[in-house]
Amino acid sequence: MKRARFLLALPAAALLASGCATLSPEAKVRDRLIEAGIGRRTAGCMAERMVDRLSIGQLRALGRVAKLPGRDVGRLSVRELIDRLDALGDPEIVTVVTRAGLGCAIAG
């Protein structure tokens, strides 16, 4: 009987362990922002603010903007960045990213 419980517990333990190995949404967003050319400190600040305000679908759409060909997001003008975000057709993304960016810039 104990052996049966142990054997049943193994798959559950493996699932839990694999879940711990995956990155949190905040870490994924932070890493994507860094890859896009945003500084580490600013990317961490922005990711923290954005994951609480955007859905997973919105975060994925935002990730696609960072992969668009062209210059790094960190080297885009504010106008170019807003144009890319506007192309997503979701005004909430524009608002959240703008507020996060400004808030983190002010916070230093």
Side-chain angles (χ1 to χ4, degrees), residues 19-69:
C20 293
T22 61
L23 291 175
S24 69
E26 184 177 330
K28 288 178 185 179
V29 170
R30 181 196 64 232
D31 291 348
R32 284 288 173 97
L33 289 170
I34 292 169
E35 290 171 12
I38 305 293
R40 180 172 288 285
R41 183 181 224 178
T42 302
C45 176
M46 289 179 68
E48 182 179 329
R49 293 171 186 227
M50 291 190 311
V51 295
D52 292 336
R53 293 173 177 87
L54 296 175
S55 70
I56 296 297
Q58 289 172 314
L59 291 171
R60 286 184 182 141
L62 185 56
R64 289 190 296 273
V65 168
K67 289 184 177 181
L68 291 177

Side-chain angles (χ1 to χ4, degrees), residues 3 16 42 46 54 57 62 64 71 73 80 84 99:
R3 180 182 162 111
L16 288 173
T42 302
M46 289 179 68
L54 296 175
L62 185 56
R64 289 190 296 273
R71 301 191 317 226
V73 173
E80 290 170 317
R84 283 191 179 190
R99 286 182 178 172

